Amino acid sequence: MRSARHPAAVLILLFPFSLTAAAPQVWFCPLDPLLRPEVNYGGSPQYMSLFAPDAPWTTAASRVNVFKIYPQWIGSATDADLQTQFADLNRRGIALALEYGVLTASAACGKGVEGFGGQTLLNAAQRIQRNGGTLRYVAMDEPIFFSTLYTGANACRWTVDQMAANAAANIAALRTQFPDVLIGDIEPFPVTAPNWLAQYQAGIEALTHAFGFKPVFFDADVLWDTPGYLDSLDAVHKMLTGEGVPFGIIYDGNSTDGSDAAWIQSATQHMLSVELSLGSPDLVIFQSWHAYPRKLLPESDADSFTSLIDAYFRARTTLTAAVAGGSVQGTLTASASGQALANAPVAISLTPVTGSGVAAVYAAGATAPPGTQSIVFGARVNMECNCSGAADFLVTSFLLTGAAAPVTAGFANQLAGWGVSTPGTPAASAKIESGGLHVLAAAGQPVLLNSAEFAFTGTGPVTFRVSARVAPQSAGAGYFTAIFLGASGEIARTHIPFAAAELPVAAVATDAAGRFTAALPSTPADSFQVRAAYPGDAATWPAQAAAPYPSPAAQTIAIAAIANAASYDVYAVSPGEIVAVFGSGMGPAALAGGTFAGGFLGTSIAGVTVRFDGIAAPLIYASAGQIAAIVPYGIHPDQTFATVSTPGGVSLPFGIPVVAAVPGLFTADASGSGPLAALNADGTRNSPANPARSGLAVVVFGTGEGQTSPAGVDGLVMNVPAAPLLAPAVTVGGVPATVDYFGSAPGEVAGVFQLNFRVPANAPRGDGVPVTVLVGGAGAAKTTTLAIR
């Protein structure tokens, strides 16, 4: 079994070649149900159901050429199960393969190391034969890596010739039992050794010499969370082409996937990332050594393993894209027939290829494992990442949602609560700029960023999101991370590799001839790549195409940040929140106010419009450097992209996460911290000269409470009360306060909330007593205060 993997955000790159034009050989290797003590799980309880005559995977089975089994299965399954399995595979015309460690350990090394165990290979072959099986293939379990490159416990550090001679003895014994058995290799990559590719090539040549024949395949066990794995696939493919060895790729999910559906989704993403970029390999291996998927059948269910095989055989499609002037045009057709695909959705996006990158939200799904007690956010550059390269990124905030109350961390208080280490000589740069942490590192310069620990006891699916601007050259230099900690330390982490953000530009549909066109925004002086993507459907594969888009004109309209208009928190927005949009070239030089008509706040000021996910936002004021807007209630629930339109053009989209609530309280000096703009019980303004009294009510105002009941209406002046869906919690000097009212502020526009609470009798006294307000467990990062006597 392979080592555990971590999930990764899929990065799709484009290469100008295809691995193979021929239909690949298809292998299937679900994990059998035997318990593996080393990982404390077994595979699917439906495993033997695959071999029933009426098993509901008829279509998928007809596409499988080879069924692979593990050493544990051939060693511990009952004779009856083996006989049933082999008979059914013979009936279906599916060849049998065995994955096995073919090396023999010595007294000096190899004991307990993956890839070893070859001394029992002949016994396994004999058991297959006794139970009616014909062994057609042996997939050697990573002999080159584990005998020549591996440096852990009991490492051998052999030469490739020593490795090949050791394996050859066991293969020769095997062939006395099955003279016609075909031998291939599986190896992991990329790995930390700088010469791994050359070593694999030398290993293949050594095996060829020792065996007297070439391996009939070389399968890639891809480290999906390693930045640049597509580049490594490219390099391996070219090497194998020169050696004349067919290339296979194992499509699996992630060890941290917590359900059948999540594992299938991860495996699908891995499959698409490879084949949309490189084309099909010579062998396609659908395999699991993880706890999921436990569901193998029926193939008609989208969360079953056999459905993934059927999904692979959907009709392939071809998408073209070309840029002319300020627009992109292209066509979508069926690859085999050339028939146009009409009324099909095509998404247009931009990715920078030079410059400092663009602000966006990076997201990855993960699973908070049992035993989680806390989490730490962070980033790794040129360390703990099996990678090296230059890095340039500005990270604004981290966010984890699902399984428990949202957890967020940012830099509103600069580096308070953060640990930053730059141990290189010379050291990389890491400093606070523009509300975030800006990291600049040359190749080989390490940076380690960790937040303080946050309590987090939930388990199950979570979403990890990072708001950042990442320069294109940062790809391959590291990753953002959320680390799950248990009683004895780290138990899991999730990665988001550094990559230039992909910004959505338009969603269009093809016409009757399969054609599409979309206007493009003008971009900064940096050049961009335009990507067109068709998502596919139940019958057809996705497709993508790319074209360069040098800037047609200098971009003068740009969003730099979006913050809560009361607290200035920048980690996320919520529906109905009043936000301050900071940037340049966004409106008139002098600030202009919004207008009301028919009981609604308008969505345009002096030709300026702000849109979130294409929905026009009510505008309070606009100027060249700052706009106050109200986030529409109908935005996407996970993340939103904002644009600013002026008579001079449209800004690039600016991405920011969406959460249920981002509460902020308005302060007396509009700074987001310090004395609140609060009213005492008599309606007068709270101040040290006019403090609140114990037991009496205080009224504060804020924004970011989220959706309401009745549902919020964009720009509506509130003359009928609306209650937020999420409950508030207020403390005054750390003492819980009683809330008398929490809802819309009468006469104010939707998005302003009013909160009435009573000063606790045992609250501290003073000119600056801290007040905290949580809505749905979320609160502001800065401290706000009241004067109390």
Side-chain angles (χ1 to χ4, degrees), residues 10 23 41 51 95 146 209 238 244 344 347 357 369 453 462 520 542 575 593 639 675 685 688 743 768-769:
V10 175
Y41 62 74
F51 311 111
F146 279 105
H209 178 75
K238 292 176 179 176
E453 288 188 31
V462 294
L520 298 171
Q639 64 175 309
R685 176 160 295 198
V769 179

Side-chain angles (χ1 to χ4, degrees), residues 258-361:
S259 67
D260 296 315
W263 193 95
I264 294 297
Q265 181 180 27
S266 295
T268 300
Q269 289 175 337
H270 298 157
M271 177 179 77
L272 295 177
S273 73
V274 170
E275 304 221 3
L276 292 180
S277 301
L278 305 176
S280 300
D282 302 300
L283 290 81
V284 170
I285 304 97
F286 298 103
Q287 181 169 351
S288 177
W289 49 86
H290 303 138
Y292 295 94
R294 298 177 62 78
K295 184 175 182 180
L296 308 181
L297 301 167
E299 63 183 329
S300 56
D301 288 355
D303 59 347
S304 75
F305 202 173
T306 50
S307 73
L308 182 62
I309 301 173
D310 290 336
Y312 184 82
F313 282 90
R314 291 173 291 171
R316 302 284 174 132
T317 56
T318 299
L319 189 67
T320 66
V323 173
S327 66
V328 57
Q329 304 89 31
T331 59
L332 177 66
T333 58
S335 299
S337 65
Q339 180 179 357
L341 298 183
N343 199 33
V346 176
I348 310 300
S349 60
L350 288 173
T351 303
V353 294
T354 64
S356 59
V358 290
V361 180

Side-chain angles (χ1 to χ4, degrees), residues 3 111 126 138 179 184 200 247 310 350-351 392 426 488 524 595 657 669 673 681 693:
S3 58
K111 185 176 181 180
Q126 290 171 340
V138 166
Y200 283 172
F247 187 27
D310 290 336
L350 288 173
T351 303
D392 177 358
S488 58
T595 57
D669 64 359
S673 63
R693 303 295 177 179

Side-chain angles (χ1 to χ4, degrees), residues 592-619:
T595 57
F596 289 88
F600 286 87
L601 179 62
T603 59
S604 179
I605 299 175
V608 175
T609 304
V610 178
R611 290 182 171 84
F612 291 82
D613 298 334
I615 306 171
L619 299 184

Side-chain angles (χ1 to χ4, degrees), residues 121-416:
L121 178 58
L122 178 58
N123 293 337
Q126 290 171 340
R127 189 160 193 238
I128 290 173
Q129 192 171 67
R130 285 198 306 271
N131 285 283
T134 300
L135 186 60
R136 181 59 175 162
Y137 296 96
V138 166
M140 298 185 294
D141 185 6
E142 305 181 343
I144 305 173
F145 175 78
F146 279 105
S147 67
T148 74
L149 293 174
Y150 169 73
T151 58
N154 298 325
C156 289
R157 301 307 304 269
W158 289 340
T159 66
V160 291
D161 291 328
Q162 289 173 312
M163 174 275 304
N166 186 293
N170 292 318
I171 295 300
L174 168 70
R175 289 171 73 88
T176 63
Q177 202 72 31
F178 290 105
D180 298 326
V181 67
L182 301 174
I183 312 298
D185 188 22
I186 306 170
E187 298 292 344
F189 74 89
V191 294
T192 54
N195 64 329
W196 64 269
L197 184 60
Q199 190 77 343
Y200 283 172
Q201 182 171 11
I204 290 171
E205 293 171 354
L207 289 168
T208 300
H209 178 75
F211 291 174
F213 54 83
K214 288 181 182 292
V216 297
F217 57 81
F218 180 102
D219 292 344
D221 174 10
V222 184
L223 303 173
W224 299 110
D225 60 354
T226 302
Y229 68 81
L230 286 171
D231 292 326
S232 296
L233 282 170
D234 178 18
V236 170
H237 164 253
K238 292 176 179 176
M239 180 270 287
L240 293 172
T241 298
E243 293 292 333
V245 175
F247 187 27
I249 298 176
I250 295 173
Y251 293 141
D252 61 335
N254 301 312
S255 64
T256 53
D257 291 327
S259 67
D260 296 315
W263 193 95
I264 294 297
Q265 181 180 27
S266 295
T268 300
Q269 289 175 337
H270 298 157
M271 177 179 77
L272 295 177
S273 73
V274 170
E275 304 221 3
L276 292 180
S277 301
L278 305 176
S280 300
D282 302 300
L283 290 81
V284 170
I285 304 97
F286 298 103
Q287 181 169 351
S288 177
W289 49 86
H290 303 138
Y292 295 94
R294 298 177 62 78
K295 184 175 182 180
L296 308 181
L297 301 167
E299 63 183 329
S300 56
D301 288 355
D303 59 347
S304 75
F305 202 173
T306 50
S307 73
L308 182 62
I309 301 173
D310 290 336
Y312 184 82
F313 282 90
R314 291 173 291 171
R316 302 284 174 132
T317 56
T318 299
L319 189 67
T320 66
V323 173
S327 66
V328 57
Q329 304 89 31
T331 59
L332 177 66
T333 58
S335 299
S337 65
Q339 180 179 357
L341 298 183
N343 199 33
V346 176
I348 310 300
S349 60
L350 288 173
T351 303
V353 294
T354 64
S356 59
V358 290
V361 180
Y362 296 82
T367 299
T372 299
Q373 296 181 356
S374 61
I375 60 169
V376 168
F377 296 119
R380 301 293 185 268
V381 180
N382 295 322
M383 62 186 303
E384 299 179 22
C385 64
N386 187 26
C387 59
S388 179
D392 177 358
F393 63 86
L394 176 74
V395 56
T396 305
S397 64
F398 297 82
L399 176 66
L400 193 75
T401 55
V407 180
T408 183
F411 301 91
N413 297 313
Q414 303 207 19
L415 287 177

